[in-house]
Amino acid sequence: MFETFFDLFLSRPSRIALLGHCVFRFFAFLIFFGIVGHLAITASALVASIGRQVSAAPELGTLYPNLPTFFIPETFAGFSVSLFMTGFGLAMVHFGNKWRRILEM
């Protein structure tokens, strides 16, 4: 099992950096979509309050029932996991580049 890991990643550190870029971009997009979703929820609650309808701010699933919104972070825990994974992706990029420099020596 570790031989496969070594062959796939440690012998070619550019793959680690590429995987880190993919992880970073995916979770950065999730954070962006989470912020946009939060703005949409706030805007709909603002419009409802202008119309004197007192209701709690809806979730993204109720605002956009036809769109898959299960992966977009809406809570503090979701944003925390997304931020952690974004940092993990950056660490993978850093490790891959550093490992490539070590192998080139």
Side-chain angles (χ1 to χ4, degrees), residues 3-19:
E3 293 172 2
T4 306
F5 176 75
F6 182 77
D7 290 338
L8 285 177
F9 291 108
L10 296 181
S11 63
R12 299 189 65 195
S14 61
R15 290 182 180 172
I16 296 174
L18 179 65
L19 183 63

Side-chain angles (χ1 to χ4, degrees), residues 22-95:
C22 291
V23 168
F24 171 76
R25 287 182 182 152
F26 177 75
F27 284 99
F29 279 126
L30 282 186
I31 290 171
F32 173 74
F33 290 138
I35 291 171
V36 169
H38 183 70
L39 290 175
I41 289 172
T42 305
S44 68
L46 178 67
V47 169
S49 71
I50 289 173
R52 304 212 189 256
Q53 295 176 354
V54 179
S55 64
E59 296 178 348
L60 280 176
T62 58
L63 281 178
Y64 305 108
N66 295 331
L67 297 177
T69 59
F70 59 89
F71 56 87
I72 297 176
E74 295 184 53
T75 63
F76 178 74
F79 278 108
S80 298
V81 169
S82 295
L83 281 173
F84 173 77
M85 290 304 293
T86 303
F88 182 71
L90 285 176
M92 286 176 65
V93 170
H94 177 72
F95 176 75

